[in-house]
Amino acid sequence: MTRSAEAFALENFALQCGTVLTRAQLVYQTHGELARGRDNAVLYPTSYGARHADIDWLIHPDRILDPRRYFVIVVNMFGNGLSTSPSNCEKCALAEQRFWFTHFDNVRAQERLLIEVFGIERLAMVYGWSMGAQQAYHWGALYPERVERIAALCGTARTTDHNRVFLESLRAALTADPAWTGSGFDGIPERGYRAFARIYASWAASQAFYREGLYYKLGYDSLEDYLQRGWEANYRKRNPHDLIAMIDTWLRCDVGDNPIYRGDYCGALAAIRARTLVMPGATDLYFTPEDCAVEAARIPDAEYRPIPSIWGHRAGNPYQNPEDAAFIRAAVRELLDRPAL
Amino acid sequence: MTRSAEAFALENFALQCGTVLTRAQLVYQTHGELARGRDNAVLYPTSYGARHADIDWLIHPDRILDPRRYFVIVVNMFGNGLSTSPSNCEKCALAEQRFWFTHFDNVRAQERLLIEVFGIERLAMVYGWSMGAQQAYHWGALYPERVERIAALCGTARTTDHNRVFLESLRAALTADPAWTGSGFDGIPERGYRAFARIYASWAASQAFYREGLYYKLGYDSLEDYLQRGWEANYRKRNPHDLIAMIDTWLRCDVGDNPIYRGDYCGALAAIRARTLVMPGATDLYFTPEDCAVEAARIPDAEYRPIPSIWGHRAGNPYQNPEDAAFIRAAVRELLDRPAL
């Protein structure tokens, strides 16, 4: 059963950047029923730019997460425009004002939601793609005894330097727009959106995706049509401050950068107790298979299984791509069928 | 012997876009001496954003092109700010005004320079990196009987769709700047340069280059220092109209798109008679080894030999990178030692 989205309020929530939010909120949606033993909960945090309704296509008896068996909680990341974000909270800002959200913030807030609303102390799985995978790794490291399994698709537990350059290019392109004031936007960044979408499109699918003209098979008339309708239109739906805020989170992603691990990235990965499926896209250009393999080797019970796909980063969210969806479904079912450690 | 740069004028030069330039010019510099039989000429066209002095480090008895043996002509591409470009010619503009240079224009102008100034009818080699390689392929296809050898480093004879997305992102980022008027810049695009440089940096070196922190070994203090001093400072030296003009050329690169081949890209490659060394960087992200291999297979006498390097696209211009330079030098010497067909 799918209910409408709900909001969970957190009073005086202290963020890692130093700001205390008088009232933060997480918006979430649940699918299925929580078992009496509260042992069938799957947490599914959102990815960059996405809201819960953008990523829930895979929650279905025949797809990756079966809501007949699992109680799936899709939680919106801070900054995405539904949970607390610059677009809906005056006290929120951007890194220019020394304000940012971290995944440490996201995961601590999610933990309170699970306990206070549902009484869930252990998660059967955290499932996440991209920035969702980053949150999944944070869950595993920050609450080792409370996460039985992790499915981390196309994400790393720490943002690599190369990935940072990509993010800096996105940030610089959006803020090149005349509507940028130095601390925010005083209008719609028409040109910024245009540049932003083209950078994203260049990185998110592989060279082979373009070489084989897969965008034609998706119904676009031309490369320009694909860039405009397939990419730019989606980002234009998002508040530009929120787009920057989510980049600010991504730039700071490091599972060891928090008061628990105090910079010990390797220690944080080594602390993960969950059975962990590390599942990059074989052609992902920014969360590369190589970077994911190194992290898998640092996690005690990790399986490294790349998705053999030319969809690049998008292999991990294959709503237009049944072949990759089937590969992921099989791997996730195997993971779920293994007993918890 | 290296002389100072000189300029070659072309009266009433008709460009492929339809514009006739009353007076176009090519700026070039020569190294070494033309042999009496005029059979030792090597043409070396410039790459994106570069001028002759930026790329001539490899002309030296101990390096890739030996000026004791070869007469090396480094010719500046149209749009680079020395040869005819938006920054030095009122009649030049950008694609917004239906004005652009093509490599067909570059190569026809270079051919006149060679004949009219030096009486050179056959080239021992065309050597080019990146947009220089694009020009080398055009030489081979447009003047098959006049090019004995081609060394094409990290470039393709036609711009791929994925490469186009990268270029569109650069163009959109620079023109997102407030100084952009819709047809040109009315000031210095400070923010545009910043975004432009970060996009370029993200694509031009490989993920492994960043993973191994090679920028530290080059003397930069931090990632930001590398982006600013290593990338942004170089583009800021260039007129932004010229940067766009060179992108407009690159976007239109297609060895078959001219009155000789009338769209027959494969026919153009098949017409090349030169011994051709197709030498991508093994980790080049926009002129990928896969794309270069497909072209090598279409050229009758081509050897495909990727540079085993983590420097990405920059493997082909290894001025900071002695290992790749040695690999290229050996391959180019082998090519030059083989008799012409």
Side-chain angles (χ1 to χ4, degrees):
Chain A
M1 176 182 168
T2 302
R3 292 160 204 85
S4 52
E6 299 197 61
F8 170 65
L10 301 116
E11 310 292 324
N12 298 315
F13 189 70
L15 298 175
Q16 207 177 358
C17 68
T19 302
V20 178
L21 295 174
T22 316
R23 187 186 164 87
Q25 76 166 18
L26 288 184
V27 173
Y28 63 96
Q29 187 174 33
T30 66
H31 304 253
E33 297 297 336
L34 183 58
R36 200 178 284 245
R38 295 192 168 84
D39 58 358
N40 70 334
V42 170
L43 185 72
Y44 179 13
T46 58
S47 52
Y48 186 80
R51 297 178 174 187
H52 61 271
D54 298 314
I55 62 166
D56 67 4
W57 62 272
L58 54 68
I59 304 166
H60 183 275
D62 295 333
R63 296 188 188 143
I64 295 168
L65 300 177
D66 182 351
R68 293 172 311 191
R69 186 167 165 198
Y70 293 98
F71 178 61
V72 184
I73 306 146
V74 187
V75 62
N76 290 276
M77 181 168 64
F78 285 135
N80 86 333
L82 290 182
S83 291
T84 298
S85 301
S87 66
N88 62 27
C89 168
E90 275 193 14
K91 209 161 175 187
C92 295
L94 305 176
E96 281 77 2
Q97 295 87 45
R98 293 201 51 75
F99 181 97
W100 55 81
F101 298 105
T102 65
H103 287 316
F104 183 70
D105 300 327
N106 276 310
V107 165
R108 279 182 308 132
Q110 291 162 13
E111 191 270 342
R112 286 188 47 192
L113 162 69
L114 294 184
I115 288 285
E116 296 178 24
V117 176
F118 300 106
I120 295 170
E121 299 205 338
R122 275 172 76 89
L123 285 163
M125 182 166 71
V126 188
Y127 179 98
W129 172 61
S130 197
M131 287 187 81
Q134 295 179 334
Q135 292 168 76
Y137 283 124
H138 279 70
W139 260 100
L142 294 170
Y143 302 102
E145 305 307 327
R146 297 172 62 179
V147 182
E148 295 179 352
R149 297 172 195 81
I150 290 172
L153 289 90
C154 305
T156 53
R158 179 169 66 178
T159 296
T160 65
D161 274 3
H162 178 264
N163 197 330
R164 292 170 64 84
V165 182
F166 159 52
L167 297 172
E168 294 286 1
S169 77
L170 286 172
R171 205 181 195 285
L174 196 55
T175 59
D177 191 275
W180 173 251
T181 65
S183 61
F185 297 91
D186 62 6
I188 296 170
E190 302 286 355
R191 302 181 199 168
Y193 278 130
R194 182 179 166 80
F196 186 97
R198 279 156 183 74
I199 299 170
Y200 224 114
S202 69
W203 281 109
S206 77
Q207 299 98 337
F209 174 93
Y210 287 98
R211 190 179 300 125
E212 300 199 3
L214 287 193
Y215 54 93
Y216 289 115
K217 294 184 190 155
L218 296 176
Y220 298 99
D221 302 337
S222 65
L223 191 58
E224 183 59 26
D225 182 39
Y226 173 64
L227 294 175
Q228 280 185 25
R229 286 198 296 132
W231 287 94
E232 193 175 326
N234 291 326
Y235 290 116
R236 282 179 176 274
K237 288 189 284 187
R238 298 289 172 250
N239 181 289
H241 301 91
D242 294 347
L243 289 176
I244 300 281
M246 288 182 279
I247 286 178
D248 288 344
T249 304
W250 187 343
L251 278 167
R252 286 166 183 74
C253 171
D254 180 347
V255 75
D257 182 19
N258 51 59
I260 316 299
Y261 293 104
R262 300 178 183 192
D264 183 7
Y265 161 73
C266 295
L269 290 175
I272 294 174
R273 290 284 157 270
R275 291 196 188 277
T276 301
L277 179 63
V278 176
M279 194 170 238
T283 54
D284 193 321
L285 290 167
Y286 50 92
F287 290 114
T288 68
E290 292 81 4
D291 290 312
C292 293
V294 169
E295 293 193 335
R298 296 187 184 283
I299 297 170
D301 186 38
E303 180 195 359
Y304 173 74
R305 195 189 293 196
I307 309 164
S309 168
I310 64 166
W311 282 68
H313 184 61
R314 296 179 65 196
N317 184 35
Y319 64 97
Q320 296 164 302
N321 175 3
E323 195 176 338
D324 292 347
F327 185 89
I328 294 167
R329 181 179 54 209
V332 170
R333 290 196 178 180
E334 273 183 43
L335 175 69
L336 286 166
D337 286 345
R338 293 180 68 198
L341 287 173
Chain B
M1 175 180 172
T2 301
R3 292 159 204 85
S4 52
E6 299 198 60
F8 171 66
L10 301 116
E11 310 291 324
N12 298 316
F13 188 71
L15 299 174
Q16 208 178 357
C17 68
T19 301
V20 179
L21 294 174
T22 316
R23 186 187 166 86
Q25 76 166 17
L26 288 184
V27 172
Y28 64 95
Q29 187 174 35
T30 66
H31 303 255
E33 297 296 337
L34 183 59
R36 201 177 283 245
R38 295 191 168 84
D39 58 357
N40 70 334
V42 170
L43 185 71
Y44 180 14
T46 58
S47 52
Y48 186 81
R51 297 178 173 186
H52 61 270
D54 298 315
I55 62 166
D56 66 6
W57 63 271
L58 54 68
I59 304 167
H60 183 276
D62 295 331
R63 296 187 189 145
I64 294 168
L65 300 176
D66 182 351
R68 294 173 310 191
R69 186 167 164 196
Y70 292 99
F71 179 61
V72 184
I73 306 147
V74 188
V75 61
N76 290 277
M77 181 168 64
F78 285 134
N80 86 333
L82 291 181
S83 291
T84 298
S85 300
S87 66
N88 63 27
C89 167
E90 276 193 14
K91 211 162 173 186
C92 295
L94 304 176
E96 280 77 2
Q97 295 88 44
R98 293 201 50 77
F99 180 97
W100 54 80
F101 299 105
T102 65
H103 287 316
F104 183 70
D105 300 328
N106 276 311
V107 165
R108 281 182 306 131
Q110 291 162 11
E111 190 270 343
R112 285 188 49 192
L113 162 69
L114 294 184
I115 288 285
E116 296 177 25
V117 175
F118 300 108
I120 295 169
E121 298 203 340
R122 275 173 75 88
L123 286 163
M125 182 166 71
V126 188
Y127 179 97
W129 172 61
S130 197
M131 286 187 83
Q134 296 179 335
Q135 293 169 75
Y137 283 124
H138 279 72
W139 260 100
L142 295 170
Y143 301 102
E145 306 306 326
R146 296 172 63 179
V147 182
E148 294 179 353
R149 296 171 196 82
I150 290 171
L153 290 89
C154 306
T156 54
R158 180 169 67 177
T159 297
T160 64
D161 273 3
H162 178 263
N163 197 330
R164 292 169 65 83
V165 181
F166 159 52
L167 297 172
E168 295 285 1
S169 77
L170 286 171
R171 204 182 195 286
L174 196 54
T175 60
D177 192 275
W180 173 251
T181 65
S183 61
F185 296 91
D186 63 5
I188 295 171
E190 302 285 356
R191 301 182 202 169
Y193 277 130
R194 182 178 166 80
F196 186 97
R198 279 156 185 73
I199 299 170
Y200 224 114
S202 68
W203 281 108
S206 77
Q207 299 97 336
F209 174 93
Y210 287 98
R211 191 179 299 126
E212 300 200 3
L214 288 192
Y215 53 92
Y216 289 114
K217 295 185 190 154
L218 296 175
Y220 298 98
D221 303 335
S222 65
L223 191 58
E224 183 60 25
D225 182 41
Y226 172 65
L227 295 175
Q228 281 186 24
R229 287 199 295 132
W231 286 94
E232 193 175 328
N234 291 325
Y235 290 115
R236 283 180 175 271
K237 289 189 283 188
R238 299 289 173 248
N239 181 290
H241 301 90
D242 295 347
L243 288 177
I244 300 281
M246 288 181 279
I247 286 178
D248 287 344
T249 303
W250 187 345
L251 279 167
R252 285 165 183 76
C253 172
D254 180 348
V255 75
D257 182 19
N258 51 59
I260 315 299
Y261 292 104
R262 299 177 183 192
D264 182 6
Y265 161 73
C266 295
L269 290 175
I272 293 174
R273 290 285 157 268
R275 291 194 189 279
T276 301
L277 179 63
V278 176
M279 194 169 237
T283 54
D284 193 323
L285 290 167
Y286 49 93
F287 289 115
T288 68
E290 293 80 4
D291 291 311
C292 293
V294 169
E295 293 194 333
R298 295 188 185 283
I299 297 170
D301 186 38
E303 180 196 0
Y304 173 74
R305 194 188 295 196
I307 309 164
S309 169
I310 64 166
W311 282 67
H313 184 61
R314 296 180 66 196
N317 184 37
Y319 65 96
Q320 295 164 302
N321 175 1
E323 195 176 336
D324 292 348
F327 185 89
I328 295 168
R329 181 178 55 208
V332 170
R333 290 196 176 178
E334 271 182 44
L335 176 68
L336 286 166
D337 287 344
R338 293 180 68 199
L341 287 173

